[in-house]
Amino acid sequence: MRFGERLGAAVAEHGPLCVGIDPHPGLLASWGLAPDVAGLERFALTCVEAFGGRVAVVKPQSAFFEAHGSRGVAVLERVISDLRDSGTLVLVDAKRGDIGSTMAAYAAAYLTEGSPLAGDAVTVSPYLGFGSLAPALDAAAANGRGIFALALTSNPEGASVQRATGPDGRSVAQAVVDAAARANAGLDPLGDVGLVIGATVGDHGLDLSDLHGYVLAPGFGAQGATVADLRAVFGPELRGVLPASSRDVLRHGPGAASLRSAVDAVRRSLEM
């Protein structure tokens, strides 16, 4: 099955929630864990135990693992493997973006079967031009995986680039949306190229009607976005929207049971 098909099935079974695994040093401390590889591993594997088989998508933030060097990356590899073994889709939040052979190498690492870093999808940056993502698009299609391209992020600095207007009158973010829509054309029910649009961006001014793909909406929960905000930004039906919550769930650790209870509460809030 294509990634879009597998994601659709996962959302139908578990609801649209995407939960992050963000081993921030502050969170490790709040769990009573040391900011070292042992603490990282305990944190991450507790999250796997709590979330595996319970949510549609889990999103480990690669940077917090990379900060610990090769041993931290080895923990990330185990997290990806264990989540996939549980039947849970993994979105590796790496935000990679480059050109030519370098982008092809990133695609091999995160999207190619057999790579220990390959989840089911990866976040990518299109800001060297959407065409620079061609190796990732090709690898995703060949391996039944997906990508989520940054379109309109919630950080204030992003607006100066993403909302800038090009020669054709479209915003840069709209050009990314349109390129993703072309990549998804003809795929049913939804395509394999998703976008990242912050849940806190407010009136985004984007035309998403032809996207035919999923939208990852970070910022839900601890960063301030509510269900009402999601509906205001994306429309009342929220079709294809994956609200992403990390700290709002992770603060309930260190027990796996309390993390599961937090996930259940967030999922119930999305049904209201």
Side-chain angles (χ1 to χ4, degrees), residues 60-67 69 73 76 80 91-99 101-111 117 121-130 132-137 146-150 196:
Q61 169 49 258
S62 179
F64 292 117
F65 295 87
E66 294 172 33
V73 173
L76 175 60
I80 293 169
L91 169 58
V92 181
D93 194 358
K95 298 183 179 71
R96 296 300 192 250
D98 215 305
I99 59 173
S101 60
T102 307
M103 191 67 233
Y106 282 138
Y110 293 101
L111 295 165
L117 286 171
V122 65
T123 56
V124 294
S125 173
Y127 290 108
L128 289 174
F130 197 90
S132 68
L133 300 179
L137 293 168
I147 68 169
F148 282 83
L150 302 177
V196 180

Side-chain angles (χ1 to χ4, degrees), residues 198-218:
T200 58
V201 298
D203 182 9
H204 53 69
L206 299 174
D207 180 0
L208 302 175
S209 59
D210 293 329
L211 174 61
H212 206 61
Y214 287 90
V215 173
L216 181 71

Side-chain angles (χ1 to χ4, degrees), residues 134-164:
L137 293 168
D138 292 343
N143 291 275
R145 288 174 161 83
I147 68 169
F148 282 83
L150 302 177
L152 193 60
T153 55
S154 55
N155 62 304
E157 303 86 354
S160 63
V161 173
Q162 298 158 8
R163 293 185 183 270

